[in-house]
Amino acid sequence: MDLWMTEWQTQHLGMSVRIKETLFSGRSSFQEIAVVESEPFGRMLVLDGVFQTSLFDEFIYHEMMAHVSLSTHPNPKRILIIGGGDGGTAREVLRHPSVEKVEMIEIDGMVVDVCKEFLPEISAALIADSARLEVKIGDGIQHMSQAENEYDVIIVDCSDPIGPGEGLFTKAFYRDVYRALKADGLFVQQTESPFYHQELIRRLWLDVDDLFPVARMYLAYIPLYPGGMHSFTMGSKKTDPLEADLRPLPFRTKYFNESIYRSCFALPNFVQELLTAKTK
Ligand code: SAM
């Protein structure tokens, strides 16, 4: 049988992938979870019909979440990941020798269990059960409201701004992130497509820029995500990534390197204009 799965990016645009096999399909208290074996992307995690990660290109997203932020901080030791239930960001963060402790707060325990079973390449750090990694099942928004001066780097590896992820894109949340960071701390969040989420990007940029002394956006090119071009927003209390001294990474990466770090903050005019435009 010829099986296809479509993620609708707008009412008029969808990306369809040919499916070889559905490996898991179930419903948690938060969302529909599926793991499929696809022709173009290999194994994929799908939440509520939205493609989250794939074996084909996950290295781009996870390296750009972890290595851009950790390379910007002068000495990252205490890291918090919000979301990130597939474990890919934790895997990359733990490769940094300076990191002493990583906390990961994922709202949906079923995502963690399913990824450990069906996506071991991505969830390797969760399976390895490192003493440096503590996985908590809970709401990142609630956790954030109670933390103060604790973290060097906070990585918000969230799903789309609907359902449990909605509150992760609000000014109240960014205020809590600011308070939870140490004096030279910084945070990064995946902030969707500059083509298809313009209102969201404009709004969250104004919030982050208002709260943090340094606000920067950077881009990476990820075939699985709408339009291919994906944005990440960084708020930093002290270090500006445009002026950071880069430490060479003592491990191999597939996407990230010094030239990528130096160039990923360069924004096309239409993205720059999005950030400077006033909200309605
Ligand atoms: N790479 C992915 C992307 O951009 O599509 C994101 C991957 S990761 C699977 C996103 C995770 O965020 C999901 O597992 C979801 O359960 C989790 N999440 C959503 N809202 C959350 C919240 N309020 N607190 C903690 N985790 C949350």
Side-chain angles (χ1 to χ4, degrees):
M1 202 172 44
D2 200 21
L3 260 184
W4 289 77
M5 181 181 259
T6 302
E7 175 188 322
W8 292 102
Q9 298 173 353
T10 73
Q11 233 184 316
H12 312 290
L13 176 70
M15 179 159 75
S16 297
V17 296
R18 193 190 289 270
I19 301 298
K20 287 193 213 172
E21 194 186 351
T22 299
L23 300 161
F24 177 86
S25 171
R27 184 159 183 94
S28 71
S29 320
F30 300 97
Q31 51 211 343
E32 294 284 345
I33 302 174
V35 178
V36 295
E37 184 76 49
S38 74
E39 289 283 356
F41 291 107
R43 282 192 186 189
M44 294 167 49
L45 173 68
V46 185
L47 298 179
D48 282 339
V50 179
F51 303 159
Q52 299 287 313
T53 191
S54 83
L55 289 189
F56 176 70
D57 63 357
E58 59 89 8
F59 65 95
I60 309 171
Y61 176 85
H62 294 125
E63 288 186 14
M64 290 302 278
M65 282 295 255
H67 305 324
V68 175
S69 56
L70 270 71
S71 294
T72 301
H73 193 283
N75 189 18
K77 291 182 184 167
R78 288 281 317 270
I79 317 297
L80 174 68
I81 300 168
I82 293 185
D86 51 65
T89 297
R91 181 195 65 201
E92 292 303 314
V93 165
L94 285 165
R95 298 174 81 192
H96 288 251
S98 67
V99 169
E100 291 170 358
K101 181 158 184 220
V102 183
E103 279 169 72
M104 186 183 118
I105 319 278
E106 161 62 56
I107 205 164
D108 194 340
M110 196 191 273
V111 172
V112 173
D113 293 341
V114 166
C115 290
K116 278 162 103 170
E117 186 168 350
F118 295 102
L119 293 161
E121 298 87 343
I122 301 176
S123 60
L126 309 179
I127 297 167
D129 202 16
S130 154
R132 292 194 293 155
L133 175 66
E134 186 181 356
V135 177
K136 295 179 185 165
I137 302 306
D139 186 350
I141 301 168
Q142 212 178 327
H143 177 86
M144 218 60 238
S145 66
Q146 286 147 14
E148 194 167 341
N149 194 25
E150 272 185 52
Y151 302 105
D152 298 309
V153 177
I154 295 173
I155 301 179
V156 188
D157 185 359
C158 52
S159 28
D160 290 3
I162 38 167
E166 201 174 344
L168 298 169
F169 292 82
T170 61
K171 193 162 188 176
F173 175 70
Y174 299 133
R175 236 183 237 117
D176 289 344
V177 168
Y178 186 93
R179 202 188 45 242
L181 286 167
K182 292 184 185 164
D184 58 355
L186 57 94
F187 95 102
V188 68
Q189 178 169 19
Q190 76 81 10
T191 47
E192 309 283 342
S193 159
F195 292 110
Y196 301 114
H197 296 92
Q198 298 198 342
E199 275 308 309
L200 174 80
I201 288 178
R202 207 188 333 250
R203 178 172 58 69
L204 72 86
W205 174 263
L206 289 178
D207 292 344
V208 174
D209 191 38
D210 187 38
L211 292 169
F212 284 81
V214 181
R216 297 281 174 210
M217 175 166 284
Y218 62 93
L219 302 173
Y221 301 88
I222 306 175
L224 188 68
Y225 296 154
M229 178 194 277
H230 202 74
S231 78
F232 301 81
T233 299
M234 181 187 284
S236 171
K237 284 185 162 180
K238 199 167 175 192
T239 311
D240 184 342
L242 300 188
E243 289 159 13
D245 292 325
L246 205 65
R247 300 177 298 280
L249 296 183
F251 48 82
R252 225 188 121 256
T253 46
K254 279 173 82 177
Y255 187 86
F256 181 86
N257 58 36
E258 179 162 4
S259 307
I260 290 289
Y261 181 77
R262 298 286 173 219
S263 61
C264 67
F265 294 94
L267 302 177
N269 286 354
F270 84 95
V271 181
Q272 281 181 31
E273 281 157 20
L274 254 187
L275 306 188
T276 47
K278 297 265 173 266
T279 38
K280 279 183 235 154

